[in-house]
Short mmCIF file of all heavy atoms in Angstrom, two decimals:
data_model
loop_
_atom_site.label_atom_id
_atom_site.label_comp_id
_atom_site.label_asym_id
_atom_site.label_seq_id
_atom_site.Cartn_x
_atom_site.Cartn_y
_atom_site.Cartn_z
N LEU A 1035 73.06 91.26 82.12
CA LEU A 1035 74.41 91.23 82.67
C LEU A 1035 75.46 90.91 81.61
O LEU A 1035 76.65 90.98 81.88
CB LEU A 1035 74.50 90.19 83.81
CG LEU A 1035 73.61 90.47 85.01
CD1 LEU A 1035 73.73 89.35 86.03
CD2 LEU A 1035 73.98 91.80 85.66
N CYS A 1036 75.00 90.55 80.41
CA CYS A 1036 75.94 90.25 79.32
C CYS A 1036 75.21 90.39 77.98
O CYS A 1036 74.07 89.92 77.86
CB CYS A 1036 76.49 88.83 79.47
SG CYS A 1036 77.68 88.37 78.19
N PRO A 1037 75.83 91.02 76.98
CA PRO A 1037 75.18 91.13 75.66
C PRO A 1037 75.00 89.76 75.02
O PRO A 1037 75.88 88.91 75.11
CB PRO A 1037 76.16 91.99 74.85
CG PRO A 1037 77.08 92.61 75.85
CD PRO A 1037 77.15 91.67 77.01
N THR A 1038 73.88 89.55 74.36
CA THR A 1038 73.61 88.25 73.75
C THR A 1038 74.55 87.96 72.58
O THR A 1038 74.96 86.82 72.38
CB THR A 1038 72.16 88.18 73.25
OG1 THR A 1038 71.89 89.31 72.42
CG2 THR A 1038 71.19 88.20 74.42
N THR A 1039 74.91 88.99 71.81
CA THR A 1039 75.83 88.77 70.69
C THR A 1039 77.19 88.32 71.19
O THR A 1039 77.82 87.41 70.64
CB THR A 1039 75.98 90.05 69.85
OG1 THR A 1039 74.70 90.43 69.33
CG2 THR A 1039 76.93 89.83 68.69
N PHE A 1040 77.65 88.94 72.26
CA PHE A 1040 78.92 88.54 72.87
C PHE A 1040 78.83 87.10 73.35
O PHE A 1040 79.77 86.31 73.16
CB PHE A 1040 79.27 89.48 74.02
CG PHE A 1040 80.56 89.14 74.69
CD1 PHE A 1040 81.75 89.67 74.24
CD2 PHE A 1040 80.59 88.26 75.77
CE1 PHE A 1040 82.96 89.34 74.85
CE2 PHE A 1040 81.79 87.93 76.39
CZ PHE A 1040 82.97 88.48 75.93
N PHE A 1041 77.71 86.74 73.97
CA PHE A 1041 77.56 85.38 74.47
C PHE A 1041 77.52 84.38 73.31
O PHE A 1041 78.01 83.25 73.45
CB PHE A 1041 76.29 85.25 75.31
CG PHE A 1041 76.37 84.17 76.35
CD1 PHE A 1041 76.80 84.48 77.64
CD2 PHE A 1041 76.07 82.85 76.05
CE1 PHE A 1041 76.92 83.47 78.60
CE2 PHE A 1041 76.17 81.86 76.99
CZ PHE A 1041 76.60 82.17 78.27
N ALA A 1042 76.96 84.78 72.17
CA ALA A 1042 76.96 83.91 71.00
C ALA A 1042 78.37 83.71 70.46
O ALA A 1042 78.75 82.60 70.06
CB ALA A 1042 76.04 84.48 69.92
N LEU A 1043 79.17 84.79 70.43
CA LEU A 1043 80.57 84.65 70.03
C LEU A 1043 81.31 83.71 70.97
O LEU A 1043 82.07 82.83 70.53
CB LEU A 1043 81.24 86.03 70.07
CG LEU A 1043 80.86 87.03 68.98
CD1 LEU A 1043 81.41 88.41 69.34
CD2 LEU A 1043 81.38 86.60 67.63
N PHE A 1044 81.08 83.89 72.25
CA PHE A 1044 81.68 83.03 73.27
C PHE A 1044 81.28 81.57 73.06
O PHE A 1044 82.10 80.65 73.12
CB PHE A 1044 81.25 83.53 74.65
CG PHE A 1044 81.45 82.54 75.76
CD1 PHE A 1044 82.69 82.39 76.35
CD2 PHE A 1044 80.40 81.75 76.21
CE1 PHE A 1044 82.88 81.49 77.39
CE2 PHE A 1044 80.58 80.85 77.23
CZ PHE A 1044 81.81 80.70 77.83
N THR A 1045 79.97 81.34 72.78
CA THR A 1045 79.47 79.99 72.58
C THR A 1045 80.13 79.34 71.37
O THR A 1045 80.54 78.17 71.42
CB THR A 1045 77.95 80.01 72.38
OG1 THR A 1045 77.33 80.53 73.56
CG2 THR A 1045 77.40 78.62 72.09
N GLY A 1046 80.24 80.09 70.26
CA GLY A 1046 80.88 79.55 69.08
C GLY A 1046 82.33 79.20 69.32
O GLY A 1046 82.81 78.14 68.88
N TYR A 1047 83.03 80.05 70.02
CA TYR A 1047 84.45 79.83 70.29
C TYR A 1047 84.68 78.63 71.19
O TYR A 1047 85.58 77.81 70.96
CB TYR A 1047 85.05 81.08 70.93
CG TYR A 1047 86.50 80.92 71.30
CD1 TYR A 1047 87.49 80.85 70.32
CD2 TYR A 1047 86.89 80.84 72.63
CE1 TYR A 1047 88.82 80.70 70.67
CE2 TYR A 1047 88.22 80.69 72.99
CZ TYR A 1047 89.19 80.61 72.00
OH TYR A 1047 90.50 80.45 72.34
N VAL A 1048 83.84 78.48 72.23
CA VAL A 1048 84.05 77.43 73.23
C VAL A 1048 83.39 76.11 72.82
O VAL A 1048 84.00 75.04 72.94
CB VAL A 1048 83.53 77.88 74.61
CG1 VAL A 1048 83.61 76.74 75.62
CG2 VAL A 1048 84.33 79.08 75.11
N TYR A 1049 82.15 76.18 72.33
CA TYR A 1049 81.37 74.96 72.11
C TYR A 1049 81.16 74.61 70.64
O TYR A 1049 80.75 73.49 70.33
CB TYR A 1049 79.99 75.09 72.77
CG TYR A 1049 80.04 75.22 74.27
CD1 TYR A 1049 79.75 76.42 74.89
CD2 TYR A 1049 80.38 74.13 75.08
CE1 TYR A 1049 79.79 76.55 76.28
CE2 TYR A 1049 80.42 74.24 76.46
CZ TYR A 1049 80.12 75.46 77.04
OH TYR A 1049 80.17 75.58 78.41
N GLY A 1050 81.39 75.55 69.73
CA GLY A 1050 81.09 75.29 68.33
C GLY A 1050 79.58 75.22 68.10
O GLY A 1050 78.79 75.72 68.90
N PHE A 1051 79.17 74.55 67.03
CA PHE A 1051 77.75 74.47 66.70
C PHE A 1051 76.97 73.61 67.69
O PHE A 1051 75.74 73.68 67.73
CB PHE A 1051 77.55 73.92 65.28
CG PHE A 1051 77.80 74.95 64.22
CD1 PHE A 1051 78.76 74.74 63.25
CD2 PHE A 1051 77.07 76.13 64.19
CE1 PHE A 1051 79.00 75.69 62.26
CE2 PHE A 1051 77.30 77.08 63.22
CZ PHE A 1051 78.27 76.86 62.25
N SER A 1052 77.65 72.80 68.48
CA SER A 1052 76.95 72.00 69.49
C SER A 1052 76.31 72.90 70.56
O SER A 1052 75.40 72.46 71.28
CB SER A 1052 77.91 71.01 70.15
OG SER A 1052 78.92 71.69 70.88
N GLY A 1053 76.79 74.13 70.67
CA GLY A 1053 76.21 75.05 71.64
C GLY A 1053 75.07 75.87 71.09
O GLY A 1053 74.44 76.65 71.83
N LEU A 1054 74.73 75.70 69.79
CA LEU A 1054 73.71 76.55 69.17
C LEU A 1054 72.32 76.31 69.75
O LEU A 1054 71.61 77.27 70.08
CB LEU A 1054 73.70 76.31 67.65
CG LEU A 1054 72.81 77.25 66.83
CD1 LEU A 1054 73.23 78.70 67.02
CD2 LEU A 1054 72.87 76.88 65.35
N LEU A 1055 71.90 75.05 69.87
CA LEU A 1055 70.56 74.76 70.39
C LEU A 1055 70.38 75.22 71.83
O LEU A 1055 69.40 75.93 72.13
CB LEU A 1055 70.25 73.26 70.26
CG LEU A 1055 68.88 72.83 70.79
CD1 LEU A 1055 67.76 73.58 70.07
CD2 LEU A 1055 68.70 71.31 70.66
N PRO A 1056 71.28 74.86 72.76
CA PRO A 1056 71.10 75.38 74.12
C PRO A 1056 71.18 76.90 74.19
O PRO A 1056 70.50 77.52 75.02
CB PRO A 1056 72.24 74.73 74.92
CG PRO A 1056 73.20 74.23 73.91
CD PRO A 1056 72.42 73.91 72.69
N LEU A 1057 71.95 77.51 73.29
CA LEU A 1057 72.02 78.98 73.26
C LEU A 1057 70.67 79.57 72.88
O LEU A 1057 70.20 80.53 73.50
CB LEU A 1057 73.09 79.43 72.27
CG LEU A 1057 73.22 80.94 72.07
CD1 LEU A 1057 73.68 81.62 73.37
CD2 LEU A 1057 74.19 81.25 70.94
N ILE A 1058 70.01 78.99 71.87
CA ILE A 1058 68.70 79.49 71.44
C ILE A 1058 67.67 79.31 72.55
O ILE A 1058 66.84 80.20 72.81
CB ILE A 1058 68.26 78.76 70.15
CG1 ILE A 1058 69.16 79.18 68.98
CG2 ILE A 1058 66.80 79.08 69.82
CD1 ILE A 1058 68.94 78.38 67.72
N LEU A 1059 67.71 78.17 73.24
CA LEU A 1059 66.80 77.94 74.37
C LEU A 1059 67.06 78.95 75.49
O LEU A 1059 66.13 79.48 76.11
CB LEU A 1059 66.95 76.51 74.88
CG LEU A 1059 66.53 75.40 73.92
CD1 LEU A 1059 66.83 74.03 74.52
CD2 LEU A 1059 65.04 75.52 73.58
N ALA A 1060 68.35 79.22 75.74
CA ALA A 1060 68.70 80.20 76.77
C ALA A 1060 68.24 81.59 76.36
O ALA A 1060 67.76 82.37 77.20
CB ALA A 1060 70.21 80.19 77.01
N TYR A 1061 68.37 81.92 75.07
CA TYR A 1061 67.87 83.20 74.56
C TYR A 1061 66.37 83.35 74.84
O TYR A 1061 65.91 84.40 75.29
CB TYR A 1061 68.08 83.28 73.05
CG TYR A 1061 69.40 83.85 72.61
CD1 TYR A 1061 69.75 83.87 71.27
CD2 TYR A 1061 70.31 84.39 73.52
CE1 TYR A 1061 70.97 84.39 70.84
CE2 TYR A 1061 71.52 84.90 73.11
CZ TYR A 1061 71.85 84.90 71.77
OH TYR A 1061 73.04 85.43 71.34
N SER A 1062 65.62 82.30 74.52
CA SER A 1062 64.17 82.35 74.70
C SER A 1062 63.80 82.53 76.17
O SER A 1062 62.92 83.33 76.51
CB SER A 1062 63.53 81.07 74.14
OG SER A 1062 63.77 80.95 72.76
N ALA A 1063 64.49 81.79 77.04
CA ALA A 1063 64.23 81.93 78.48
C ALA A 1063 64.62 83.32 78.97
O ALA A 1063 63.91 83.93 79.78
CB ALA A 1063 65.01 80.86 79.25
N ALA A 1064 65.74 83.85 78.46
CA ALA A 1064 66.16 85.20 78.84
C ALA A 1064 65.17 86.24 78.34
O ALA A 1064 64.89 87.23 79.04
CB ALA A 1064 67.56 85.47 78.27
N SER A 1065 64.63 86.04 77.14
CA SER A 1065 63.63 86.96 76.60
C SER A 1065 62.40 86.99 77.50
O SER A 1065 61.86 88.07 77.82
CB SER A 1065 63.21 86.53 75.18
OG SER A 1065 64.29 86.63 74.29
N ALA A 1066 61.95 85.81 77.91
CA ALA A 1066 60.77 85.73 78.77
C ALA A 1066 61.02 86.41 80.10
O ALA A 1066 60.17 87.16 80.61
CB ALA A 1066 60.39 84.26 78.99
N LEU A 1067 62.20 86.19 80.68
CA LEU A 1067 62.55 86.83 81.95
C LEU A 1067 62.55 88.35 81.82
O LEU A 1067 61.96 89.06 82.65
CB LEU A 1067 63.91 86.33 82.42
CG LEU A 1067 64.47 86.98 83.70
CD1 LEU A 1067 63.53 86.75 84.88
CD2 LEU A 1067 65.87 86.44 84.00
N GLY A 1068 63.23 88.84 80.78
CA GLY A 1068 63.28 90.29 80.58
C GLY A 1068 61.92 90.89 80.33
O GLY A 1068 61.61 91.99 80.80
N TYR A 1069 61.08 90.17 79.58
CA TYR A 1069 59.72 90.63 79.27
C TYR A 1069 58.89 90.78 80.55
O TYR A 1069 58.26 91.82 80.78
CB TYR A 1069 59.08 89.63 78.32
CG TYR A 1069 57.64 89.94 77.93
CD1 TYR A 1069 57.36 90.69 76.79
CD2 TYR A 1069 56.57 89.45 78.69
CE1 TYR A 1069 56.05 90.95 76.43
CE2 TYR A 1069 55.27 89.71 78.32
CZ TYR A 1069 55.01 90.47 77.19
OH TYR A 1069 53.70 90.73 76.84
N PHE A 1070 58.89 89.75 81.39
CA PHE A 1070 58.04 89.79 82.59
C PHE A 1070 58.57 90.77 83.64
O PHE A 1070 57.80 91.38 84.37
CB PHE A 1070 57.88 88.39 83.16
CG PHE A 1070 56.95 87.53 82.35
CD1 PHE A 1070 57.43 86.38 81.72
CD2 PHE A 1070 55.62 87.87 82.19
CE1 PHE A 1070 56.58 85.59 80.96
CE2 PHE A 1070 54.76 87.10 81.42
CZ PHE A 1070 55.24 85.95 80.81
N LEU A 1071 59.90 90.93 83.70
CA LEU A 1071 60.45 91.95 84.60
C LEU A 1071 60.01 93.35 84.17
O LEU A 1071 59.62 94.18 85.01
CB LEU A 1071 61.98 91.86 84.61
CG LEU A 1071 62.61 90.75 85.43
CD1 LEU A 1071 64.13 90.76 85.25
CD2 LEU A 1071 62.25 90.88 86.91
N ALA A 1072 60.07 93.60 82.87
CA ALA A 1072 59.65 94.90 82.36
C ALA A 1072 58.15 95.11 82.55
O ALA A 1072 57.71 96.23 82.84
CB ALA A 1072 60.03 95.03 80.88
N LYS A 1073 57.37 94.04 82.36
CA LYS A 1073 55.92 94.13 82.58
C LYS A 1073 55.63 94.55 84.01
O LYS A 1073 54.74 95.38 84.28
CB LYS A 1073 55.27 92.78 82.29
CG LYS A 1073 54.84 92.57 80.86
CD LYS A 1073 53.57 93.33 80.57
CE LYS A 1073 52.99 92.92 79.22
NZ LYS A 1073 51.78 93.71 78.89
#
C-alpha cells in the first residue's frame, strides 16, 4: 500500500534517526507478510 523508499523518506523527515530501528523492524515484518502471502 506504500513504497518502502517513500516510507523511509517519511520516517527521516518526521522522526529522524530515532525512527531507523523501528523502520527496519517494520521492513522485516512487511517482508515476512509479503512472502507468506505470495507463498
Side-chain angles (χ1 to χ4, degrees):
L1035 298 177
C1036 181
T1038 53
T1039 300
F1040 180 88
F1041 207 93
L1043 288 169
F1044 163 82
T1045 298
Y1047 177 71
V1048 174
Y1049 296 108
F1051 282 121
S1052 65
L1054 187 59
L1055 179 59
L1057 176 65
I1058 292 172
L1059 295 176
Y1061 271 175
S1062 298
S1065 296
L1067 176 60
Y1069 178 92
F1070 286 116
L1071 283 176
K1073 271 283 191 183

